[in-house]
Amino acid sequence: MKNEDMVTTNVELQTRRIPSIGFLGVAIGCMTASAFLMLTGRKHWANFIGQWAPTILILGTYNKIAKTFSAPLDEQQRVRHGGHASMLKSPEELTHQMSPQPVS
């Protein structure tokens, strides 16, 4: 991946394999376990486990962003993802947009 060091690239390549629903499932599991522990009177453990859910959801969000905005690895992957043109405007569009419009 462009502009990333090898460690970041390797981490993102490995975490791409994890489906986004996996993070949601683990977070819901933590909330369920926390509720169960609270009902059984183990308040400290319930708080400890319950605090994992936001962290897991943030990791899932990062994973989704990294998958969505990372460059395709090869031409087949680009075509498989629709092969859409960049959402960024071309230099001609930018200069046309920034040029002053005549006042009528």
Side-chain angles (χ1 to χ4, degrees):
M1 294 185 199
K2 291 183 178 180
N3 303 324
E4 298 289 350
D5 62 348
M6 288 303 298
V7 174
T8 304
T9 300
N10 287 331
V11 167
E12 287 181 1
L13 288 174
Q14 294 303 315
T15 57
R16 273 184 177 193
R17 298 179 188 178
I18 303 170
S20 298
I21 194 74
F23 288 99
L24 182 61
V26 172
I28 290 173
C30 288
M31 290 184 268
T32 303
S34 176
F36 174 76
L37 289 168
M38 186 64 80
L39 291 173
T40 59
R42 293 179 259 181
K43 183 179 179 181
H44 293 292
W45 278 105
N47 288 336
F48 177 66
I49 301 295
Q51 290 176 358
W52 294 358
T55 303
I56 292 166
L57 291 173
I58 289 169
L59 289 171
T61 302
Y62 172 79
N63 184 39
K64 187 70 165 185
I65 290 170
K67 283 196 278 191
T68 302
F69 292 107
S70 64
L73 297 176
D74 56 14
E75 185 64 16
Q76 288 84 12
Q77 187 183 33
R78 186 188 68 76
V79 171
R80 187 172 56 238
H81 288 295
H84 300 295
S86 173
M87 291 174 32
L88 301 175
K89 296 184 182 277
S90 68
E92 295 82 25
E93 289 177 307
L94 289 174
T95 55
H96 176 70
Q97 225 176 16
M98 295 183 72
S99 62
Q101 300 294 327
V103 178
S104 8

